Amino acid sequence: TVQGTLTPERLAQGRANGYAYSRQLTLKPGIYQARVGVREIETGATGTAAAWVDIPDLAHSKLALSSLVLLDPLPVSDTKGNALRQAKTVQGIRIYPRNEVCGYMLRVFRKATSPPEKDLTLKMELMKDGKPVQEIQWQQLVQEKREKDDKGNIFIGGRVNLGGLEPGIYELCVSVKDARTKTTAQRAAVFGIE
C-alpha cells in the first residue's frame, strides 16, 4: 500500500495529466500481470489498471528488450532534457502536444559481454495507420545513447520529433539487432498527438 498527500498544485497537475509511480521488483523469468488499484479516500472513487510483463530468460535467449517506455515531451529547442513537461494520458494512451519531441527508452538484455558499440544496431520506425511516417535505418549504438547497469544490461534511448505530424494515433517501433548472434528484438508503444 502506498499513501501520500499532495500539494494543491500537484493535485491539479495529477488530475489534468495523471500520476506516475514506479517500484522495482526482482522477478524470476516468466510472464506476469501487474495490477494496480487506486482509491481516493475522500470520495471512495476507485480506478484500476493491468499490464502484462515479460521477464526474459537470458539463459535461453540471446537478446531481449524491456518494454518501450515513452517519456514526457521535450521542447525541440531543449537538447539537454531540462524542461520536461507531462504528457496527458487518456485511457492508457499518452497524448503529446503537436510539434513536441517524444523521448523513449528501453533496456537491452543479452548474455554477451562484448562492448555494445561493436555489435548492436538500432532501428526506429514511427507508424500511422500501418504506414511509416518517420524512419531511422539501422545504425550502431553510440555512446551518448546507452548506459549500462550493474549487470551489464544496456539502457538506450532516443528522441522523436513530432513536428509537422497530424493529430492521431501513432505506433513507435524500436528494433535492436545483435550482429554477433544474428538475433533481432523489437518493442512498440502506441501514443497520440493532439
Side-chain angles (χ1 to χ4, degrees), residues 95-128:
I95 307 295
Y96 292 88
R98 288 185 78 187
N99 300 319
E100 292 283 352
V101 172
C102 165
Y104 65 88
M105 64 177 282
L106 66 138
R107 190 182 300 195
V108 179
F109 303 96
R110 63 188 190 142
K111 291 193 287 186
T113 57
S114 60
E117 64 273 7
K118 294 187 178 177
D119 53 18
L120 289 182
T121 55
L122 178 133
K123 177 181 180 180
M124 185 279 298
E125 296 174 291
L126 184 60
M127 314 286 279
K128 183 171 187 202

Side-chain angles (χ1 to χ4, degrees), residues 65-72 93-94 96 100-106 122-137 139 145 156-162 165 168-176 185-193:
L65 303 177
S66 71
S67 295
L68 180 60
V69 177
L70 299 177
L71 306 174
D72 286 331
I93 297 177
R94 287 192 100 133
Y96 292 88
E100 292 283 352
V101 172
C102 165
Y104 65 88
M105 64 177 282
L106 66 138
L122 178 133
K123 177 181 180 180
M124 185 279 298
E125 296 174 291
L126 184 60
M127 314 286 279
K128 183 171 187 202
D129 299 326
K131 297 180 179 115
V133 293
Q134 280 187 30
E135 190 171 22
I136 296 175
Q137 290 299 322
Q139 58 183 306
K145 291 190 176 181
I156 58 173
R159 300 158 58 104
V160 180
N161 188 339
L162 306 178
L165 296 176
I169 302 297
Y170 291 82
E171 182 178 32
L172 175 63
C173 300
V174 176
S175 302
V176 175
Q186 182 184 67
R187 287 290 184 249
V190 174
F191 68 92
I193 298 177

Side-chain angles (χ1 to χ4, degrees), residues 49-68:
W52 291 99
V53 180
D54 183 3
I55 307 298
D57 184 355
L58 297 178
H60 298 97
S61 174
K62 296 177 180 162
L63 177 68
L65 303 177
S66 71
S67 295
L68 180 60

